[in-house]
Amino acid sequence: MVLAVRLAGEMEKTTRFHQGEEMTASVENLSLQVHGDDRGSLIALENGHNLPFDVKRVYYIFGTKAGVPRGFHAHRKLKQLLIAVSGSVTVKTEHGGKIETHLLNRPDEGLLIEGLVWREMHDFSPDCVLTVLADEYYHESDYIRDYTVFKQEDAT
Ligand code: T46
């Protein structure tokens, strides 16, 4: 049973070498299967079943302030699935010189971000709850918070 479906459209993968190791970066929209009936809707996400990676960490962002963006960093290896389970947010991504914006405004759609991708979150709606599933524990050492450093690594 496949519940997470890759939405049609272009998905560009950037491949690079960092300290001799091949590393890829990509951003992709996923559609999540909804179990719905006359009571409402339910989405189930399971390791090894309908998720593209095994989840080690879940966090959620809420109570955001109007006009206050977040993010402004990249990760070297992390895989994350972002889902606006309530409200909306615009996620700006960059990798391999390609800049995209993604409107997340449905609990049945996720944005899969893998590898060295710069990300910014803008225009949170007041009711936004952005849930993030990650394949690794929180390590500040995996963050690149300097855009100049990101551009150097992205160009390597
Ligand atoms: C990302 C976007 C989508 C923790 O202690 N544990 C955690 O797992 C996380 C994610 C954060 N924190 C602490 C670190 C900071 O003191 O929470 C504080 C806020 O984190 P940050 O400023 O990194 O939050 P955002 O919203 O800018 O970015 C977050 C994630 O950090 C990042 O991985 O991709 O959401």
Side-chain angles (χ1 to χ4, degrees):
M1 182 166 46
V2 178
L3 302 182
V5 177
R6 290 180 154 82
L7 290 179
E10 283 188 25
M11 193 270 284
E12 281 188 25
K13 196 170 263 199
T14 306
T15 304
R16 45 185 278 282
F17 287 87
H18 180 71
Q19 296 171 346
E21 189 184 349
E22 184 178 293
M23 299 172 87
T24 57
S26 61
V27 179
E28 199 174 355
N29 294 98
L30 297 185
S31 177
L32 311 172
Q33 185 179 336
V34 180
H35 303 275
D37 55 33
D38 54 8
R39 299 168 300 165
S41 302
L42 182 154
I43 291 174
L45 302 172
E46 295 179 77
N47 283 345
H49 195 175
N50 63 341
L51 284 171
F53 54 79
D54 279 354
V55 175
K56 281 191 180 165
R57 177 168 54 110
V58 177
Y59 59 92
Y60 37 98
I61 295 168
F62 59 100
T64 49
K65 304 283 180 292
V68 180
R70 301 180 67 106
F72 296 90
H73 58 256
H75 293 279
R76 287 199 170 83
K77 294 184 99 169
L78 194 66
K79 297 178 184 180
Q80 297 200 115
L81 182 63
L82 284 63
I83 306 163
V85 295
S86 169
S88 64
V89 59
T90 298
V91 182
K92 183 177 168 188
T93 59
E94 178 178 356
H95 70 96
K98 185 178 178 189
I99 297 173
E100 295 174 320
T101 56
H102 314 264
L103 175 65
L104 303 186
N105 61 357
R106 301 174 58 121
D108 61 349
E109 281 185 10
L111 186 68
L112 176 62
I113 302 179
E114 299 191 15
L116 189 77
V117 176
W118 188 262
R119 80 283 317 268
E120 302 172 9
M121 293 94 82
H122 296 270
D123 303 328
F124 286 92
S125 65
D127 58 342
C128 184
V129 179
L130 179 63
T131 299
V132 183
L133 284 59
D135 76 332
E136 259 310 334
Y137 300 116
Y138 174 72
H139 299 298
E140 183 57 37
S141 59
D142 187 56
Y143 283 71
I144 301 173
R145 294 190 183 273
D146 183 330
Y147 185 69
T148 308
V149 173
F150 162 74
K151 289 299 279 182
Q152 284 168 351
E153 294 206 12
D154 191 43
T156 317

